[in-house]
Amino acid sequence: MKKRLIVDDLEFEILIPEEKIQQRIRELGAQISQDYQGKVPIFVGVLNGAVLFLADLIRNLSIDCEIDFIKISSYGDARVSSGAITMIKDFSADLHGRDVIVVEDIVDSGLSVSYLRRRIESMKPASLKFVSLLVKKGCAKVPLTIDYIGFEIEDKFVIGYGLDLAQKKRELRDIYQIVEEVGKEKE
Ligand code: IMP
Ligand code: MG
């Protein structure tokens, strides 16, 4: 039986254990270091979810880098994306002429990523790529290119390793997936 967890009356089971997450991040770090040899990319973490991933990713690089953060919200505290994106905190760095790598925790509808792409492209970076630890299979409502993907997962709600349920459980070292009750899919 898989490791289980109850949060706010919802049942979760382990999906990706810590060792697998860390192993995959080592691979992504090596790949990005190779692709950006001789460059100093700026990693833009999407708050709050991507904080843990960004911290581990940059510690697995063998090149210099800078970091910055942006905070947007598409979920509020609901379990299903509201569709509307609100900017809560803008970048601090000047991204003009920079090699920008946006760091996301998870891509679901893809609306956040396409919003960020439009915004950053208007700042004329030298290059722009996206890395996401998780991508939900077949969910994107818009055409997307995610350059580096940690894991492709089913379209089910997940928590842990930065991902929250109403702002909680981000601190979990493993990623857990919701165990859907029969006949009760996403509300
Ligand atoms: P998108 O704009 O629908 O792609 O949503 C992306 C954002 O929604 C992510 O950066 C997460 O913050 C949040 N999100 C999407 N799916 C989940 C999930 O299963 N658990 C927790 N947060 C999620
Ligand atoms: Mg997020």
Side-chain angles (χ1 to χ4, degrees), residues 130-141:
F130 285 80
V131 51
S132 187
L133 181 65
L134 305 176
V135 172
K136 285 188 185 169
K137 274 184 216 155
C139 297
K141 291 184 179 146

Side-chain angles (χ1 to χ4, degrees), residues 46-47 49 104-105:
V46 185
L47 295 172
E104 265 283 22
D105 48 359

